[in-house]
């Protein structure tokens, strides 16, 4: 089973914290859609299996595409791959695009999951990070999606926004939990070099939330979501029973996927490759049959590090039998030894031949990971 990721690198304006590759140039959309369809043809044999279990339109802002542009991409996908009848087909969207009219216009498309980039319901927070929507639009986006028949809705929330207090964060969570959604992805705000937010912090124009408060916010997130029946199946991902993201889970299980569009990454077990992060270079290269990606084969150590890095974040944790099978008993024993003091300090749980983080372990996961990875 494999996945398809399609990167739609357009945003109507840039959020101050974002370091993803996107551009504000909608006039290039038609040319990009054509190039993505050509890339599908060119890379028809990339995946070890033609059977597709998940399709994910991410960005950027996929909801800037017109329904007929989505339809053209779907046509190319279905003509090239065998898509399972029950495939999970997701698109990311900004709340202000999700009007009743928008949902009517995509009715004939095969989407069955939506991931809404809400980040916050607080108008001041949203303004400060330059999001396009306000709190009311965020709530309405979810309601419109539900009324349109979407029964698998995920929202993104960021905690630790400048000036956010525990009380304000709790209010965000209460609003989210009042919406009867199936999935929440929630990340602590990070300051990425080169972003406007980074610059604002450097110039002391904003006051960042301190580490202790960030940890408290995470603990509150886990507690409140657990009370409402959400399963913390990955450090930043929470799902109601039966609603884990199959697409993201396939990344964590190291299943192959093909990434289409500028800056998209792909993985096919033997190696990784990534497309050029420029709409103009990508479309020009595809149109002129030139190379549009770089690639690397993974070394033994890199494969191990990749596995440890993603699996330690999941509720199932590191599978020691898998490590023994794939990397040998020496790696497995070393892994247990490296974790020994964390097991004793209750930051890691060892059971059923798996090493998984406890909630307190999540708070020091970076430190733990550094000790587990091979250099
Ligand atoms: S909408 Fe998403 S991709 Fe676009 S700038 Fe904001 S965070 Fe980045």
């Amino acid at each position: 089973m494999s996945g398809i990721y399609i990167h739609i690198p357009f945003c109507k304006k840039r959020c101050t914290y974002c370091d993803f590759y996107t551009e504000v140039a909608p006039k290039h959309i038609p040319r990009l859609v054509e190039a993505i369809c050509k890339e599908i043809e060119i890379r028809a044999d990339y995946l070890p299996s033609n059977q597709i279990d998940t399709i994910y339109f991410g960005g950027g802002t996929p909801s800037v595409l017109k329904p007929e542009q989505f339809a053209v991409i779907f046509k190319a996908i279905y003509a090239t791959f065998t898509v399972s009848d029950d495939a999970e087909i997701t698109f990311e969207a900004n709340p202000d695009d999700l009007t009743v009219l928008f949902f009517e216009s995509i009715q004939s498309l095969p989407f069955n999951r939506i991931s809404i980039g809400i980040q916050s319901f607080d108008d001041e927070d949203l303004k400060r990070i330059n999001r396009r929507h306000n709190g009311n639009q965020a709530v309405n986006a979810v309601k419109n999606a539900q009324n349109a028949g979407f029964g698998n809705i995920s929202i993104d929330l960021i905690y630790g926004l400048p000036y956010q207090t525990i009380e304000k964060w709790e209010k965000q969570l209460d609003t989210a939990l009042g919406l009867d959604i199936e999935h929440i992805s929630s990340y602590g705000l990070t300051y990425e070099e080169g972003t406007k937010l980074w610059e604002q912090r450097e110039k002391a124009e904003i006051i960042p939330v301190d580490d202790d408060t960030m940890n408290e916010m995470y603990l509150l997130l886990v507690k409140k979501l657990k009370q409402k029946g959400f399963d913390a199946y990955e450090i930043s991902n929470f799902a109601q029973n039966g609603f884990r993201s199959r697409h993201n889970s396939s990344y964590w299980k190291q299943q192959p996927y093909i990434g289409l569009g500028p800056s998209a990454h792909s993985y096919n077990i033997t190696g990784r490759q990534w497309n050029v992060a420029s709409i103009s270079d990508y479309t020009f290269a595809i149109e002129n049959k030139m190379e549009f990606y770089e690639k690397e084969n993974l070394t033994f150590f890199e494969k191990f590090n990749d596995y440890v890095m993603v699996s330690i974040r999941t509720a199932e944790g590191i599978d020691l039998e898998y490590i023994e099978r794939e990397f040998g008993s020496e790696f497995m024993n070393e892994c247990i030894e490296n974790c020994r003091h964390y097991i004793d300090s209750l930051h890691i749980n060892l059971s059923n031949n798996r090493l998984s983080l406890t909630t307190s372990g999540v708070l020091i996961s970076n430190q733990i990971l550094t000790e587990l990875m091979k250099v």
Side-chain angles (χ1 to χ4, degrees):
M1 286 290 190
S2 306
I4 297 180
Y5 173 81
I6 306 110
H7 191 67
I8 306 297
F10 297 100
C11 292
K12 291 180 187 161
K13 65 180 193 177
R14 274 202 79 80
C15 309
T16 60
Y17 57 89
C18 178
D19 71 338
F20 288 173
Y21 168 64
T22 64
E23 290 188 21
V24 188
K27 64 173 191 237
H28 297 310
I29 295 178
R31 193 173 161 209
L32 180 79
V33 168
E34 255 183 62
I36 288 173
C37 293
K38 279 213 184 91
E39 188 186 354
I40 293 170
E41 263 176 61
I42 296 167
R43 299 182 65 202
D45 297 327
Y46 176 78
L47 293 166
S49 151
N50 205 38
Q51 189 74 35
I52 299 299
D53 190 40
T54 64
I55 301 175
Y56 193 104
F57 284 78
T61 320
S63 50
V64 299
L65 290 195
K66 295 194 176 103
E68 54 274 24
Q69 290 166 331
F70 278 121
V72 170
I73 297 175
F74 274 122
K75 195 172 166 204
I77 290 173
Y78 281 82
T80 307
F81 300 101
T82 308
V83 180
S84 311
D85 290 345
D86 69 340
E88 177 190 273
I89 306 180
T90 309
F91 72 105
E92 288 179 352
N94 262 23
D96 54 323
D97 287 330
L98 299 181
T99 58
V100 174
L101 222 58
F102 174 86
F103 283 108
E104 279 170 12
S105 75
I106 62 157
Q107 242 174 13
S108 60
L109 296 172
F111 293 117
N112 50 32
R113 185 172 184 274
I114 180 169
S115 170
I116 309 176
I118 287 178
Q119 318 307 355
S120 172
F121 295 94
D122 182 288
D123 289 349
E124 270 181 36
D125 281 349
L126 291 165
K127 219 181 256 173
R128 207 173 279 127
I129 55 174
N130 205 31
R131 296 288 301 180
R132 279 161 40 198
H133 63 279
N134 59 36
N136 272 340
Q137 283 173 311
V139 171
N140 287 337
V142 173
K143 289 187 177 158
N144 290 344
Q146 286 164 334
N147 291 337
F150 276 86
N152 190 352
I153 298 174
S154 177
I155 67 164
D156 288 352
L157 289 177
I158 298 178
Y159 61 90
L161 290 168
Y163 307 102
Q164 195 172 48
T165 58
I166 299 284
E167 293 69 35
K168 280 189 171 179
W169 172 233
E170 183 159 23
K171 210 167 151 202
Q172 305 308 307
L173 291 171
D174 288 338
T175 309
L177 291 170
L179 290 172
D180 203 15
I181 45 179
E182 288 73 26
H183 189 279
I184 295 179
S185 298
S186 186
Y187 296 85
L189 180 70
T190 53
Y191 289 78
E192 306 295 340
E193 198 165 353
T195 60
K196 173 99 172 91
L197 196 71
W198 169 281
E199 201 184 301
Q200 287 173 319
R201 188 184 61 174
E202 292 300 289
K203 291 183 184 160
E205 288 171 3
I206 49 161
I207 301 173
V209 168
D210 63 67
D211 289 350
D212 287 346
T213 310
M214 289 293 276
N215 286 346
E216 228 182 293
M217 287 176 171
Y218 182 75
L219 295 176
L220 184 68
L221 167 76
V222 174
K223 187 175 127 197
K224 288 194 80 104
L225 266 53
K226 216 172 169 184
Q227 281 167 354
K228 284 281 182 173
F230 283 84
D231 161 34
Y233 70 106
E234 200 264 353
I235 288 183
S236 305
N237 286 278
F238 306 83
Q240 288 290 348
N241 193 15
F243 290 98
R244 290 183 176 199
S245 159
R246 278 160 52 193
H247 187 79
N248 290 347
S249 299
S250 73
Y251 293 157
W252 305 325
K253 288 180 191 155
Q254 312 234 287
Q255 287 168 350
Y257 59 91
I258 183 169
L260 307 164
S263 83
H265 284 233
S266 306
Y267 170 72
N268 67 351
I269 310 287
T270 49
R272 295 185 277 239
Q273 70 180 59
W274 53 97
N275 289 351
V276 58
S278 153
I279 295 172
S280 51
D281 290 353
Y282 167 82
T283 47
F284 183 83
I286 296 253
E287 287 159 3
N288 292 285
K289 300 188 169 51
M290 291 158 60
E291 282 226 330
F292 53 90
Y293 57 83
E294 287 182 70
K295 64 176 177 180
E296 65 177 9
N297 284 336
L298 295 173
T299 65
F300 193 67
F301 277 19
E302 282 169 341
K303 280 187 184 170
F304 174 80
N305 285 345
D306 269 11
Y307 175 70
V308 168
M309 205 160 52
V310 291
S311 57
I312 191 79
R313 293 180 56 90
T314 64
E316 281 69 34
I318 296 171
D319 180 351
L320 292 168
E321 271 174 30
Y322 176 84
I323 293 198
E324 187 174 31
R325 200 169 57 242
E326 296 295 317
F327 304 101
S329 49
E330 204 183 305
F331 273 52
M332 181 191 73
N333 292 333
E334 210 177 295
C335 201
I336 299 172
E337 271 327 295
N338 288 340
C339 285
R340 182 71 59 200
H341 58 293
Y342 290 118
I343 297 169
D344 294 342
S345 61
L346 306 182
H347 288 99
I348 288 185
N349 189 25
L350 171 59
S351 74
N352 295 329
N353 243 347
R354 286 177 176 270
L355 294 163
S356 57
L357 295 173
T358 60
T359 307
S360 65
V362 170
L363 303 181
I364 56 164
S365 57
N366 287 343
Q367 180 189 323
I368 294 175
L369 196 55
T370 320
E371 290 181 41
L372 292 182
M373 283 171 60
K374 303 273 180 197
V375 278

